[in-house]
Amino acid sequence: MGIERNDFPFHHGDRALSFAGTVRDRDSEPVERIRDRAALVGWLVAAGLLQAPSSTREAPSLDAPTFATAIALREAIARASVAFVDGARPERADIETINLVAERWSAALVLDPQSLTLATTRDDAVKAALGRVARSAVKLFADPERRERLRRCERAGCGSIFLDPPGGRARRWCSMTRCGNRAKVNAHRARAKHEGLT
């Protein structure tokens, strides 16, 4: 497919937050990682929610309304997570969007009688995968203890929301390798510039 797991960030601590994180630098100059249907399928594969097609003929069908709903779900998750971090109540419309996808597109896991492997009760693999993302958001936002651990990356302009691990030292950045390193480099440059002026 040409899209690898490394093309997308998965350092947010929850699948739903990683889906929201497919827009980089939300608070400054947003960069869209899911520009088209192929990129959405690529993210679902990278997230382990969809099997990678072995050929273009086997690629899952993804119509325009499904793509639009996926983006609406992502933005609802992003806005709701920001609201929780800010100590506010998420907009009702965002919660309804998340609930609607979770309810309508979630597939139950069943045991396939032929292969004796896990299968789903939904034929549309893309919708089933998006239903799992929505259910992940429902479980995250319904858990008061996990909501308390939602954090915003401290690097100016990032805006990424992540789930702080329980106990231990609190994280400051969504990713140490990305935002943490950038923040440290910027702080070093600022100190060096200040020292050069004095």
Side-chain angles (χ1 to χ4, degrees), residues 107-113 116-122:
L109 289 176
V110 295
L111 181 64
D112 184 279
L116 297 179
T117 60
L118 285 177
T120 66
T121 57
R122 173 171 279 285

Side-chain angles (χ1 to χ4, degrees), residues 10 12 53 55 77 82 101 106-107 122 134 154-155 182:
F10 288 95
H12 302 87
S55 70
I77 292 168
V82 167
V101 175
S106 290
R122 173 171 279 285
E154 291 184 22
R155 184 180 67 80
R182 284 187 188 179

Side-chain angles (χ1 to χ4, degrees), residues 147-180:
R147 284 195 316 253
E148 285 293 316
R149 291 191 284 117
L150 289 172
R151 303 282 183 268
R152 179 183 283 114
C153 182
E154 291 184 22
R155 184 180 67 80
C158 176
S160 198
I161 305 296
F162 60 90
L163 185 63
D164 220 9
R169 195 170 154 193
R171 286 168 53 187
R172 294 182 59 197
W173 302 287
C174 62
S175 164
M176 186 58 207
T177 56
R178 186 177 174 275
C179 288

Side-chain angles (χ1 to χ4, degrees), residues 92-169:
R92 184 178 185 92
D94 290 332
I95 299 302
E96 287 174 354
T97 297
I98 295 166
N99 285 339
L100 188 68
V101 175
E103 180 185 343
R104 291 195 181 164
W105 288 2
S106 290
L109 289 176
V110 295
L111 181 64
D112 184 279
Q114 296 297 326
S115 65
L116 297 179
T117 60
L118 285 177
T120 66
T121 57
R122 173 171 279 285
D123 291 333
D124 189 321
V126 171
K127 285 184 178 178
L130 291 166
R132 289 175 67 188
V133 173
R135 286 183 68 140
S136 182
V138 168
K139 289 178 183 176
L140 171 64
F141 296 150
D143 184 335
E145 187 272 332
R146 292 179 81 207
R147 284 195 316 253
E148 285 293 316
R149 291 191 284 117
L150 289 172
R151 303 282 183 268
R152 179 183 283 114
C153 182
E154 291 184 22
R155 184 180 67 80
C158 176
S160 198
I161 305 296
F162 60 90
L163 185 63
D164 220 9
R169 195 170 154 193

